[in-house]
Amino acid sequence: MNRLTRRWAGSLPGPGGNVVSATSLWPLLALLQDAAGGPARDELEDATGLPTAEAAGAARGLLEALGAIRGTRSALGLWTRAALPLHAGWKARLPAGTTGSLTGSPAIDRGVLDGWTEERTGGLIRSMPVQIKKDTRLVLAAAQSVRTRWLRPFLETDVVPEDGPWQGRYLLGLHRTTSLLDRVAVAETPDGPVTVLKVLGSTGVDVHLLFGAPDMTPAQVLGHGIGTLAGAGGSPVPLPLVTGDRLPYGEPGPGLRVANVRSRTPQPVLDVLTVAFRAAANHDLLAEPTLFGLSTASDASRGHFPAISPEPLAVGSAGQGAVAVFDAAGFESATVTAISVAAGGMPPPPRYTVRHIEVAFDRPFGFLAVHRTSRLVLTAGWVTEPAPFPEDPEYDAQDERDVHGNHRHDDEPVVRVQPFPDTHPGHGGAPRAPVQGAAGQGTARQAVSP
């Protein structure tokens, strides 16, 4: 799974916010692989990394494993037209309660699919990421939501970067301190050092914040972040990490400074400053079909899934919608991935036609939501639009909500923290020099960690 996430992250173009989830896509690819024939099956086998004989069972096992993770929900849905005959063997290999019907009316079917999407993602995503046409014969979809609360919440503060892409913006910062220096580490990669900060969740799901050098691309930072993980289909030899307790003095990584300071207590201190964010993206998976093993399967000149139906079928569209929210209390994300199947080849009934649907998608630090035990990456993303501080003039005072959409009461003051006074809180000694921010950018208020 992490192999597919890394490949996908490596294909993300240019700067821009992004969110992807291979764990929402992979079961769909595996179930299609189980039903595919010829070159389509071989390409899907390369994308999933499993032999076809194991694909369907592995897809069911993954969905069950995801459902067993506290704070995580997953669901699979299959909708077919009544006129499409399905082979009983393939249908029997799907999880129970998966199947539904398509009426042939795009408006009615869209309402059903969107309702399923909204329910399965807790309202974070409201629309199935494929178009529904009169000739749509089958829709296969997977939904995933992840919710975790920090073991130690952040305090909210205001942050105004002095330079870089967020220069002069009044942002909602998140600050906290800890004596656990191993929460931050630096990975030495072929493209330069990457700083990794682990924020532990209460459900066994953690979020790793990733900071690279200014000239590193999102794909490089995310790829190396995934490369530090072992297991779940990732690299058997992960990139080595040098944890905070072993980092050299100075600035050993982006956004980091390590020094000795005088203190009234014996505990070391790790200061963390980051920003709250909400990231969202829509992806057309057929924009790069080779990446997902869908090149041949989307060739509508013939059928590719003989185990689904005696009718020739081809992939008509494939998309993913994803949302991730990071705030003082916790993290949540949701993804819905869907693949629609239309007729392929030259079937006798003229009612079958083929549509190729294209959906555009868009894309400065990365993040990974990681299951602590298995090291499975549940969600990966890149942040370019942090949340504004509520007192920002651009903030909508008529709809004063937190980043989860909950209304903030007037009697709930925003805690303001000065993360970097002239001397560290609780410490004596000389004033500290300015600290470089994320990716080497200076900020008005910055932290020892990314």
Side-chain angles (χ1 to χ4, degrees):
M1 224 75 58
N2 286 355
R3 169 177 171 269
L4 180 58
T5 303
R6 194 171 188 176
R7 288 174 57 179
W8 196 349
S11 73
L12 299 179
N18 224 316
V19 192
V20 302
S21 174
T23 57
S24 177
L25 168 62
W26 193 91
L28 305 186
L29 299 181
L31 291 170
L32 289 179
Q33 175 188 345
D34 177 61
R41 179 184 58 211
D42 297 338
E43 292 175 4
L44 285 163
E45 187 172 282
D46 178 67
T48 65
L50 281 182
T52 297
E54 302 174 13
R60 292 194 305 270
L62 174 63
L63 293 169
E64 292 173 359
L66 290 174
I69 298 174
R70 288 190 300 129
T72 299
R73 297 175 58 196
S74 64
L76 185 74
L78 171 70
W79 297 264
T80 60
R81 292 282 292 272
L84 178 69
L86 294 177
H87 288 308
W90 183 77
K91 188 175 180 180
R93 289 193 289 275
L94 300 176
T98 296
T99 58
S101 299
L102 297 176
T103 66
S105 167
I108 295 174
D109 294 336
R110 166 59 65 187
V112 171
L113 297 175
D114 289 353
W116 183 90
T117 297
E118 185 169 6
E119 180 184 355
R120 295 306 190 276
T121 64
L124 283 177
I125 301 175
R126 298 183 177 181
S127 179
M128 186 78 75
V130 289
Q131 293 187 15
I132 309 302
K133 299 290 187 178
K134 289 185 178 180
D135 67 326
T136 300
R137 297 291 175 239
L138 179 152
V139 174
L140 186 62
Q144 173 189 286
S145 65
V146 180
R147 287 179 170 84
T148 191
R149 289 292 174 262
W150 309 133
L151 292 177
R152 293 185 61 246
F154 288 83
L155 296 176
E156 293 183 345
T157 185
D158 53 340
V159 176
V160 183
E162 293 180 344
D163 53 25
W166 299 338
Q167 181 178 6
R169 294 175 60 178
Y170 198 26
L171 304 179
L172 177 56
L174 304 176
H175 172 260
R176 73 180 188 186
T177 62
T178 178
S179 61
L180 302 175
L181 301 186
D182 60 353
R183 294 291 186 260
V184 70
V186 174
E188 291 295 337
T189 80
D191 300 306
V194 173
T195 299
V196 181
L197 174 72
K198 297 181 182 179
V199 186
L200 272 58
S202 61
T203 62
V205 175
D206 307 326
V207 176
H208 297 191
L209 302 184
L210 311 172
F211 289 80
D215 59 348
M216 292 179 69
T217 66
Q220 289 173 321
V221 175
L222 287 171
H224 293 315
I226 298 169
T228 64
L229 306 172
S235 172
V237 183
L239 288 171
L241 289 168
V242 180
T243 54
D245 55 326
R246 297 186 293 120
L247 287 173
Y249 296 113
E251 298 180 0
L256 275 177
R257 186 177 71 178
V258 181
N260 278 330
V261 298
R262 298 179 64 185
S263 174
R264 299 185 183 94
T265 62
Q267 290 81 18
V269 176
L270 168 63
D271 269 307
V272 175
L273 182 69
T274 184
V275 294
F277 64 83
R278 177 187 177 97
N282 289 304
H283 304 278
D284 175 11
L285 305 182
L286 295 188
E288 292 194 53
T290 303
L291 180 64
F292 308 108
L294 296 174
S295 294
T296 298
S298 57
D299 176 6
S301 65
R302 57 192 178 91
H304 307 285
F305 303 103
I308 292 180
S309 172
E311 300 285 354
L313 299 172
V315 171
S317 66
Q320 182 177 96
V323 175
V325 180
F326 184 108
D327 67 8
F331 173 87
E332 60 182 321
S333 68
T335 55
V336 171
T337 310
I339 297 175
S340 69
V341 175
M346 299 294 294
R351 65 180 181 270
Y352 293 109
T353 58
V354 176
R355 300 294 180 95
H356 184 110
I357 303 168
E358 296 183 354
V359 180
F361 62 97
D362 60 1
R363 317 265 174 269
F365 62 77
F367 66 88
L368 307 173
V370 181
H371 181 230
R372 192 179 306 148
T373 304
S374 68
R375 317 300 285 169
L376 176 65
V377 176
L378 302 172
T379 313
W382 189 256
V383 181
T384 59
E385 285 301 319
F389 193 77
E391 293 179 8
D392 190 293
E394 297 179 2
Y395 183 81
D396 187 355
Q398 295 181 0
D399 189 15
E400 193 166 286
R401 305 170 186 240
D402 62 22
V403 291
H404 284 294
N406 300 316
H407 285 281
R408 188 191 303 279
H409 299 290
D410 293 338
D411 59 351
E412 294 178 355
V414 175
V415 179
R416 299 180 185 277
V417 180
Q418 298 291 338
F420 286 104
D422 290 341
T423 58
H424 193 284
H427 294 76
R432 303 172 64 179
V435 181
Q436 290 298 306
Q441 300 160 6
T443 61
R445 299 172 176 85
Q446 189 51 264
V448 173
S449 66

